[in-house]
Every structure is written in C-alpha cells, then in structure tokens.
C-alpha cells in the first residue's frame, strides 16, 4: 500500500461521512464555498503559527509545523486566485460553528504534554474532515479546474492530518492518546450530525 492509499485508509477513522447532499448544495453556492474555504486556509495557517509560539519548547513540533504554515498560506493564495478568476471578492469571514464546537471539547488545564496533544488531535480532525470534503468536491463537481484543485488539496490536507496525529503520538503516552483520539472521533461525529447542512460552509 502506498502512502496516499494508507492515508486514505486512515481517513476512514472519521465516524460519520458527510451527508452526500452537501456537495450538491455547495456546488450551487461556489462563491460562498470559496470564500469560506479561503478563511479555512487562513485559520489553518494561523493555528500552526499559534502552536509554534505557544509550544516553542517542542522542537519537533516547531520544525514540522513551520513548513505547514507556508503551505497553508499558499493554499489561501490559490483560493484567492480562484475567487478573482470568477469575479468574486474575498468578503468577510463567517462564524465557524464547526471549529467553535470542537474547541469546546479541548480539555483545559493539565500539563504541557496534555495541552499540546489536545490541540494536535483537534487540528488532526479538522484536517481529516477538510480532506473528506475536498475529496467529495473533487469527485462530484462539474468545474474541471476546481475538480483538479480540490484533488490536489485533498492530498495535501491528508498529509497534514498525518503530521498532527503523529506529533500527538510522538509527544503523548500511546494509550492515553489512543483513548482520547477515540473520544475526539466520537465527539466530532456528533458535531457533524448536529450541524445544519449548509452550502455556504466548508464544514
Ligand atoms: Fe490547506
Ligand atoms: Fe491543512
């Protein structure tokens, strides 16, 4: 099994697949989806920067997340390009219910290892869900250019998912991380279940 295949296998760890109706609604709202997507990339870059600043003593984390910042910012630039090409503007950032709900689940307090592994697992889940949605878009939308674009991003976000999860496993105690990861997966599925299906949101 090659790397991409094994990553896709791991993607299946998400407990609830996206409602297939989402992609059809999203395609009808491509401007809103692109705007929301641009801000997802911005948040991904910002979140890596925050982790580097907050957890500067974790050398491997700093080394591995630094290039991810550049990659996510590169994605932001490319989404912006896709918006401009279609005559759309960036517009304002929208409230991100999905991320707000995930943040609620982050355990407060604990030692530095507990804190860092919590955030790494939360970020891994956001990457996994984004990857799943990009895959749906790349498979189902008509626009050939966006199809290819989303396929490429799917592969990239799958790599980030692996980065975050492996960092959590590197720093945390294996059994604790596995147990907590299962809780995170369960919780994320409940969040997805509880969110309204919207064609103007990536999540
Ligand atoms: Fe990205
Ligand atoms: Fe990413």
């Amino acid at each position: 099994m090659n790397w991409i295949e094994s990553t896709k296998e791991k993607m299946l760890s998400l407990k609830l697949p996206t409602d297939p109706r989402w992609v059809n609604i999203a395609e009808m709202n491509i401007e809103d989806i692109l705007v929301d997507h641009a801000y997802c990339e911005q948040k991904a870059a910002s979140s890596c920067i925050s982790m580097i600043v907050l957890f500067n003593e974790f050398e491997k984390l700093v080394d591995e997340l630094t290039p991810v910042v550049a990659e996510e910012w590169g994605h932001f630039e490319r989404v912006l390009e896709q918006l401009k090409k279609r005559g759309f503007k960036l517009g304002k950032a929208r409230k991100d219910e999905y991320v707000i709900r995930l943040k609620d689940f982050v355990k407060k307090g604990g030692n530095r290892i507990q804190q860092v592994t919590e955030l790494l697992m939360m970020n891994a889940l956001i990457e996994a869900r984004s990857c799943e949605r990009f895959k749906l878009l790349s498979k189902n939308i008509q626009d050939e250019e966006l199809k290819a674009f989303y396929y490429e991003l799917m592969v990239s976000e799958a790599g980030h998912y692996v980065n975050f999860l492996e960092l959590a496993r590197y720093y945390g105690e294996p059994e604790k991380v596995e147990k907590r990861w299962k809780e995170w997966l369960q919780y994320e599925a409940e969040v997805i279940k509880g969110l309204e299906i919207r064609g103007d949101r990536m999540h």
Side-chain angles (χ1 to χ4, degrees), residues 40-41 44-45 48 68 71-72 75 123 126-127 130 134 153 156-161 164:
C40 289
E41 299 296 355
C48 285
V68 178
E71 231 181 286
E72 302 290 22
H75 293 169
N123 279 287
I126 299 172
E127 296 287 348
S130 304
F134 292 166
L153 291 195
S156 169
E157 310 306 359
H160 300 157
Y161 159 76
F164 282 121

Short mmCIF file of all heavy atoms in Angstrom, two decimals, residues 40-41 44-45 48 68 71-72 75 123 126-127 130 134 153 156-161 164, ligand 2:
data_model
loop_
_atom_site.label_atom_id
_atom_site.label_comp_id
_atom_site.label_asym_id
_atom_site.label_seq_id
_atom_site.Cartn_x
_atom_site.Cartn_y
_atom_site.Cartn_z
N CYS A 40 -10.76 29.08 5.81
CA CYS A 40 -10.30 27.82 6.44
C CYS A 40 -8.78 27.72 6.30
O CYS A 40 -8.09 27.31 7.24
CB CYS A 40 -10.93 26.60 5.79
SG CYS A 40 -12.67 26.41 6.14
N GLU A 41 -8.27 28.10 5.13
CA GLU A 41 -6.82 28.04 4.91
C GLU A 41 -6.11 29.07 5.80
O GLU A 41 -5.07 28.78 6.38
CB GLU A 41 -6.49 28.29 3.44
CG GLU A 41 -7.09 27.27 2.47
CD GLU A 41 -6.56 25.83 2.64
OE1 GLU A 41 -5.64 25.61 3.45
OE2 GLU A 41 -7.10 24.94 1.96
N ALA A 44 -6.04 27.72 9.23
CA ALA A 44 -5.08 26.62 9.36
C ALA A 44 -3.67 27.20 9.53
O ALA A 44 -2.90 26.75 10.40
CB ALA A 44 -5.15 25.72 8.12
N ALA A 45 -3.34 28.21 8.73
CA ALA A 45 -2.01 28.83 8.85
C ALA A 45 -1.87 29.51 10.22
O ALA A 45 -0.87 29.32 10.93
CB ALA A 45 -1.80 29.85 7.73
N CYS A 48 -1.37 27.04 13.08
CA CYS A 48 0.01 26.50 13.17
C CYS A 48 0.95 27.54 13.78
O CYS A 48 1.80 27.19 14.61
CB CYS A 48 0.53 26.10 11.79
SG CYS A 48 -0.18 24.58 11.19
N VAL A 68 4.37 23.82 7.31
CA VAL A 68 2.91 23.71 7.09
C VAL A 68 2.29 25.11 7.02
O VAL A 68 1.37 25.35 6.23
CB VAL A 68 2.23 22.83 8.18
CG1 VAL A 68 0.73 22.76 7.98
CG2 VAL A 68 2.82 21.42 8.18
N GLU A 71 2.68 26.26 3.59
CA GLU A 71 1.81 25.50 2.68
C GLU A 71 0.36 26.00 2.77
O GLU A 71 -0.30 26.19 1.77
CB GLU A 71 1.86 24.03 3.09
CG GLU A 71 2.14 23.10 1.94
CD GLU A 71 2.14 21.66 2.42
OE1 GLU A 71 3.14 21.28 3.09
OE2 GLU A 71 1.18 20.95 2.15
N GLU A 72 -0.11 26.19 4.02
CA GLU A 72 -1.50 26.64 4.20
C GLU A 72 -1.68 28.05 3.63
O GLU A 72 -2.71 28.36 3.03
CB GLU A 72 -1.92 26.63 5.68
CG GLU A 72 -1.83 25.27 6.37
CD GLU A 72 -2.87 24.24 5.91
OE1 GLU A 72 -3.40 24.35 4.80
OE2 GLU A 72 -3.11 23.29 6.69
N HIS A 75 -2.08 27.79 0.07
CA HIS A 75 -3.45 27.40 -0.28
C HIS A 75 -4.37 28.62 -0.26
O HIS A 75 -5.21 28.79 -1.13
CB HIS A 75 -4.01 26.36 0.71
CG HIS A 75 -3.31 25.03 0.65
ND1 HIS A 75 -3.51 24.04 1.59
CD2 HIS A 75 -2.41 24.51 -0.24
CE1 HIS A 75 -2.78 22.97 1.27
NE2 HIS A 75 -2.10 23.25 0.18
N ASN A 123 -6.63 19.62 15.71
CA ASN A 123 -6.20 20.03 14.36
C ASN A 123 -6.20 18.85 13.38
O ASN A 123 -6.54 19.02 12.22
CB ASN A 123 -4.82 20.69 14.41
CG ASN A 123 -4.93 22.14 14.83
OD1 ASN A 123 -5.37 22.99 14.07
ND2 ASN A 123 -4.57 22.44 16.07
N ILE A 126 -9.73 18.45 12.13
CA ILE A 126 -10.14 19.48 11.17
C ILE A 126 -9.55 19.15 9.80
O ILE A 126 -10.21 19.25 8.77
CB ILE A 126 -9.72 20.90 11.64
CG1 ILE A 126 -10.42 21.22 12.98
CG2 ILE A 126 -10.05 21.95 10.59
CD1 ILE A 126 -9.95 22.51 13.65
N GLU A 127 -8.28 18.71 9.79
CA GLU A 127 -7.64 18.33 8.53
C GLU A 127 -8.36 17.13 7.89
O GLU A 127 -8.58 17.09 6.69
CB GLU A 127 -6.17 17.96 8.75
CG GLU A 127 -5.29 19.10 9.23
CD GLU A 127 -5.00 20.14 8.15
OE1 GLU A 127 -5.28 19.88 6.96
OE2 GLU A 127 -4.49 21.22 8.51
N SER A 130 -11.67 18.24 6.46
CA SER A 130 -11.46 19.06 5.27
C SER A 130 -11.09 18.16 4.10
O SER A 130 -11.59 18.32 2.98
CB SER A 130 -10.34 20.08 5.47
OG SER A 130 -10.61 20.87 6.60
N PHE A 134 -12.94 17.87 0.59
CA PHE A 134 -12.25 18.16 -0.68
C PHE A 134 -12.39 16.97 -1.63
O PHE A 134 -12.54 17.13 -2.83
CB PHE A 134 -10.77 18.47 -0.45
CG PHE A 134 -10.50 19.75 0.29
CD1 PHE A 134 -9.24 20.02 0.81
CD2 PHE A 134 -11.48 20.71 0.46
CE1 PHE A 134 -8.98 21.20 1.50
CE2 PHE A 134 -11.24 21.90 1.14
CZ PHE A 134 -9.98 22.14 1.66
N LEU A 153 -5.55 19.52 -3.16
CA LEU A 153 -5.64 19.94 -1.75
C LEU A 153 -6.00 18.77 -0.83
O LEU A 153 -5.51 18.68 0.29
CB LEU A 153 -6.66 21.06 -1.58
CG LEU A 153 -6.29 22.41 -2.17
CD1 LEU A 153 -7.20 23.50 -1.61
CD2 LEU A 153 -4.85 22.80 -1.89
N SER A 156 -2.84 17.11 0.05
CA SER A 156 -2.05 17.93 0.96
C SER A 156 -2.61 17.91 2.39
O SER A 156 -1.88 17.73 3.37
CB SER A 156 -2.00 19.35 0.40
OG SER A 156 -1.49 20.22 1.34
N GLU A 157 -3.94 18.05 2.52
CA GLU A 157 -4.55 18.07 3.87
C GLU A 157 -4.45 16.69 4.53
O GLU A 157 -4.32 16.59 5.75
CB GLU A 157 -6.01 18.55 3.85
CG GLU A 157 -6.31 19.86 3.10
CD GLU A 157 -5.48 21.08 3.49
OE1 GLU A 157 -4.62 21.01 4.38
OE2 GLU A 157 -5.71 22.14 2.87
N ALA A 158 -4.45 15.64 3.71
CA ALA A 158 -4.26 14.30 4.28
C ALA A 158 -2.88 14.22 4.92
O ALA A 158 -2.71 13.63 5.99
CB ALA A 158 -4.41 13.25 3.19
N GLY A 159 -1.91 14.83 4.27
CA GLY A 159 -0.55 14.85 4.83
C GLY A 159 -0.51 15.60 6.17
O GLY A 159 0.13 15.16 7.12
N HIS A 160 -1.25 16.71 6.24
CA HIS A 160 -1.28 17.48 7.50
C HIS A 160 -1.96 16.69 8.61
O HIS A 160 -1.56 16.73 9.76
CB HIS A 160 -2.02 18.82 7.30
CG HIS A 160 -1.37 19.69 6.28
ND1 HIS A 160 -2.05 20.67 5.62
CD2 HIS A 160 -0.10 19.71 5.82
CE1 HIS A 160 -1.22 21.27 4.77
NE2 HIS A 160 -0.04 20.70 4.88
N TYR A 161 -3.02 15.99 8.22
CA TYR A 161 -3.72 15.13 9.20
C TYR A 161 -2.72 14.15 9.83
O TYR A 161 -2.66 14.01 11.05
CB TYR A 161 -4.84 14.40 8.46
CG TYR A 161 -5.35 13.13 9.13
CD1 TYR A 161 -6.18 13.20 10.24
CD2 TYR A 161 -5.00 11.88 8.62
CE1 TYR A 161 -6.65 12.04 10.83
CE2 TYR A 161 -5.47 10.72 9.22
CZ TYR A 161 -6.29 10.80 10.32
OH TYR A 161 -6.75 9.65 10.91
N PHE A 164 -0.21 15.97 12.21
CA PHE A 164 -0.74 16.33 13.53
C PHE A 164 -0.91 15.10 14.42
O PHE A 164 -0.53 15.11 15.59
CB PHE A 164 -2.09 17.04 13.39
CG PHE A 164 -1.99 18.48 12.98
CD1 PHE A 164 -2.58 18.95 11.82
CD2 PHE A 164 -1.29 19.40 13.77
CE1 PHE A 164 -2.49 20.29 11.44
CE2 PHE A 164 -1.20 20.74 13.41
CZ PHE A 164 -1.80 21.18 12.24
FE1 LIG B 2 -4.05 21.56 6.16
#
